[in-house]
Amino acid sequence: DIQMTQSPSSLSASVGDRVTITCRASQSISSYLNWYQQKPGKAPKLLIYAASSLQSGVPSRFSGSGSGTDFTLTISSLQPEDFATYYCQQSYSTPRTFGQGTRLEIK
Amino acid sequence: QVQLQESGPGLVKPSGTLSLTCAVSGGSISSSNWWSWVRQPPGKGLEWIGEIYHSGSTNYNPSLKSRVTISVDKSKNQFSLKLSSVTAADTAVYYCARGEIAAAGTSTYYFDYWGQGTLVTVSS
């Protein structure tokens, strides 16, 4: 199985801040990396697919980059509705594995 | 707009079988998509359980493979999950999700539609 490791596990930030979350794969996964946002009591929501492609309807303040084993999700200017938990997920092979999540909290 | 809706018992006894169904509306289960189950124990992260294609082809998480069966019912536009020999460790919110293959012949695949999730508790 491909292991996905996110850092940090939690993060405190303020509205307007620029935030970066990192995801590392245990082996190269090319650009087959997706990012999801999950709010309490809700299903995950797709933000970014194929490492850097923005899902339709997702604000442009979200961006993704990386290839191989190292990936980042960046939120350019945090908005109140962005405080949530973020997960990366690899689609290179089955089993489809997720990172452990990064909880983004209000400072 | 594709919608997915999970249904099934919210309480299952230890050693029993968990059975859930995901009804798909606004789209066909026979489209070029995979259909997955993902679970999330309370306060924890996401775990992919397995997936099925309308042809009946399946992929399962090796950690659960011996206990999991995913099936599809094209006539009802739905797919189902059975997880046998459950224990308290199987207590989780279970989600169904659609896997979209963005580019044929590649691994560009993502979960673009999700059900709202259903909590299944394993307890006597």
Side-chain angles (χ1 to χ4, degrees):
Chain A
D1 298 5
I2 298 175
Q3 307 303 316
M4 307 302 294
T5 304
Q6 291 181 229
S7 60
S9 294
S10 63
L11 175 61
S12 294
S14 301
V15 173
D17 284 354
R18 179 183 180 90
V19 166
T20 297
I21 297 169
T22 296
C23 178
R24 175 164 289 176
S26 59
Q27 67 181 73
S28 177
I29 57 171
S30 186
S31 296
Y32 300 122
L33 190 283
N34 307 316
W35 289 98
Y36 301 86
Q37 175 194 67
Q38 187 180 34
K39 296 183 178 179
K42 300 294 186 182
K45 172 188 174 183
L46 177 68
L47 299 176
I48 302 284
Y49 65 91
S52 61
S53 295
L54 192 67
Q55 173 68 347
S56 176
V58 173
S60 59
R61 62 180 180 273
F62 291 93
S63 64
S65 65
S67 66
T69 60
D70 294 320
F71 302 86
T72 59
L73 172 70
T74 299
I75 310 172
S76 61
S77 178
L78 273 174
Q79 298 302 300
E81 61 268 29
D82 299 338
F83 292 94
T85 300
Y86 293 84
Y87 294 93
C88 62
Q89 175 249 325
Q90 62 83 18
S91 65
Y92 182 81
S93 65
T94 58
R96 308 193 187 281
T97 46
F98 293 86
Q100 82 279 14
T102 295
R103 184 175 179 181
L104 179 53
E105 301 174 318
I106 301 173
K107 184 182 286 185
Chain B
Q1 177 80 348
V2 174
Q3 293 186 319
L4 290 81
Q5 177 72 54
E6 305 91 348
S7 62
L11 181 64
V12 181
K13 294 189 187 310
S15 76
T17 297
L18 179 159
S19 297
L20 295 173
T21 295
C22 181
V24 179
S25 59
S28 173
I29 204 160
S30 296
S31 60
S32 300
N33 297 101
W34 287 82
W35 304 92
S36 274
W37 289 97
V38 176
R39 71 179 182 178
Q40 185 171 39
K44 297 189 177 180
L46 301 164
E47 179 182 31
W48 179 76
I49 299 169
E51 64 188 6
I52 191 164
Y53 199 70
H54 61 78
S55 63
S57 295
T58 54
N59 293 306
Y60 295 134
N61 192 324
S63 67
L64 298 168
K65 187 174 183 176
S66 64
R67 300 194 290 132
V68 172
T69 302
I70 298 176
S71 59
V72 65
D73 186 336
K74 289 184 281 187
S75 69
K76 293 183 178 179
N77 217 40
Q78 65 186 32
F79 62 108
S80 299
L81 168 70
K82 290 189 185 297
L83 180 66
S84 63
S85 304
V86 297
T87 69
D90 295 309
T91 294
V93 174
Y94 285 76
Y95 295 100
C96 56
R98 189 181 85 163
E100 170 74 6
I101 303 168
T106 74
S107 295
T108 303
Y109 170 115
Y110 46 82
F111 302 117
D112 57 351
Y113 290 99
W114 296 69
Q116 85 278 11
T118 187
L119 174 63
V120 179
T121 302
V122 178
S123 175
S124 55

